[in-house]
Amino acid sequence: MTTTPRTALTIAGSDSGGGAGIQADLRTFFANGVHGMTAITAVTVQNSLGVQGFTEIPAEVVTAQIRAVASDMGVDAAKTGMLATAEIIQAVAKTLDEVHIGRNAAIPFVVDPVAASMHGDALLREEALEAIRTELFPRATLVTPNLDEVRLLTGVEVTGRESQREAAGALLEFGAQWVLVKGGHLYEDPECTDLLSDGVQCIELTGPRHDTPHTHGGGDTLASAITSGLAKGLGVPDAVEAGKRFIERSVAEAYPLGAGVGPVSPFWRLAHDQPGAAAGR
Ligand SMILES: Nc1ncnc2c1ncn2[C@@H]1O[C@H](COP(=O)(O)OP(=O)(O)O)[C@@H](O)[C@H]1O
Ligand SMILES: Cc1ncc(COP(=O)(O)O)c(N)n1
């Protein structure tokens, strides 16, 4: 008998290099046994060396994609990545309310507040930061900023555990139910600790720091793994714990590809012995 899997929707940008954005989200959903659906917000021209440019999709087309899948196929959990402009953010917020996705509705919603690529190339127009705070955070079940995004959103400079807690408190004031302050950029820390908080509980998720330069798509992969867990009915702390274990292995198995930064790999969850899969380069 065939089984229909749970569904997850990603509202994000396309990465032509296949390591981040929509492509990272889809491969993570697949590796976690969830049917992935997409509302594409922008098309980036990108490879391992950086983002050469992007074109955003008209806001009404982003809205139409969300409506199409939500009305027909159903969404068990959703996430956002690159949203590019304030206009797209406003359209997404309005449409999510309409289809009952978000912290005040039954369907969990994860906001990864992507502002720039790891090479420092902008993926969000400057004036759109305020829209992330005011339109998306109050609707979010969970927000997952990295340390650069924490600084942009709150002004808090995270240098260790203490300031990670301070940042979590500042972020919660924008109205998200839970925040995950990711610690991947605390490079002097021999471990990678992400801090999860809802203002009552403060949970430290610690794991080994793998020695690799290839972490392209790490934030997207973590947020999508968490979204997969939420789609399968896990509560936030359990979904984040499972997501952290998923990204840990994905960073451990990250591979070089191109002359710059290679992608993290969700392949460890799948069969490793596919004949002919290794490129040998
Ligand atoms: N070198 C590493 N080894 C193991 N885990 C890592 C490493 N770098 C990042 N992570 C983990 O990957 C996730 C994404 O981290 P981070 O780098 O902080 O965000 P982003 O990818 O959005 O910039 C976090 O769970 C973090 O702990
Ligand atoms: C379309 C898109 N979305 C998100 C990222 C962030 O990923 P990273 O921080 O690994 O560059 C990206 N580079 N491109």
Side-chain angles (χ1 to χ4, degrees), residues 11 17 29-30 36 92 119 142 146 190 202 221 227 238:
I11 305 166
F29 291 153
F30 176 69
V92 165
H119 298 89
L142 170 71
N146 67 22
C202 243
T221 299
T227 305
D238 288 341

Side-chain angles (χ1 to χ4, degrees), residues 79-157:
K79 76 165 281 264
T80 54
M82 173 189 183
L83 293 170
T85 66
E87 195 192 350
I88 291 178
I89 294 167
Q90 278 145 11
V92 165
K94 199 160 156 246
T95 314
L96 291 179
D97 286 352
E98 189 188 299
V99 300
H100 308 294
I101 293 174
R103 65 167 295 192
N104 298 320
I107 304 168
F109 173 46
V110 176
V111 173
D112 187 13
V114 173
S117 81
M118 64 186 310
H119 298 89
D121 306 309
L123 296 174
L124 185 74
R125 308 251 185 255
E126 232 171 275
E127 76 283 356
L129 203 62
E130 182 60 11
I132 296 244
R133 278 194 212 96
T134 57
E135 300 285 337
L136 291 188
F137 275 41
R139 291 173 167 84
T141 310
L142 170 71
V143 298
T144 63
N146 67 22
L147 297 190
D148 295 330
E149 292 150 0
V150 166
R151 185 169 28 77
L152 285 172
L153 289 160
T154 67
V156 177
E157 195 79 50

Side-chain angles (χ1 to χ4, degrees), residues 6-12 21-22 25-26 29 34-41 61-71 73-81 83 92 95-96 99-102 107-112 223-224 226-228 230-231:
R6 301 292 181 118
T7 61
L9 169 65
T10 173
I11 305 166
I22 286 280
D25 297 342
L26 283 180
F29 291 153
V34 167
H35 177 90
M37 305 180 298
T38 61
I40 298 186
T41 57
V61 180
V62 177
T63 293
Q65 293 173 82
I66 299 170
R67 277 195 192 129
V69 298
S71 63
M73 299 156 87
V75 176
D76 291 311
K79 76 165 281 264
T80 54
L83 293 170
V92 165
T95 314
L96 291 179
V99 300
H100 308 294
I101 293 174
I107 304 168
F109 173 46
V110 176
V111 173
D112 187 13
S224 296
I226 295 169
T227 305
S228 303
L230 295 171

Side-chain angles (χ1 to χ4, degrees), residues 13-15 20-21 44 46 51 82 114 116-119 123 215-218 220:
S14 163
D15 168 6
T44 72
Q46 186 170 177
V51 179
M82 173 189 183
V114 173
S117 81
M118 64 186 310
H119 298 89
L123 296 174
T215 56
H216 181 50
D220 315 63

Side-chain angles (χ1 to χ4, degrees), residues 232-277:
K232 291 190 254 187
L234 294 181
V236 171
D238 288 341
V240 172
E241 172 70 35
K244 173 73 176 163
R245 305 289 77 103
F246 187 85
I247 185 64
E248 217 166 86
R249 291 289 300 275
S250 302
V251 175
E253 303 217 2
Y255 47 89
L257 184 65
V261 181
V264 304
S265 172
F267 292 161
W268 62 269
R269 215 3 121 60
L270 309 168
H272 255 178
D273 55 353
Q274 311 257 357

Side-chain angles (χ1 to χ4, degrees), residues 195-216:
L195 181 77
L196 176 69
S197 178
D198 66 349
V200 180
Q201 301 177 67
C202 243
I203 304 167
E204 281 185 2
L205 297 117
T206 296
R209 177 176 294 276
H210 298 297
D211 185 17
T212 174
H214 304 302
T215 56
H216 181 50

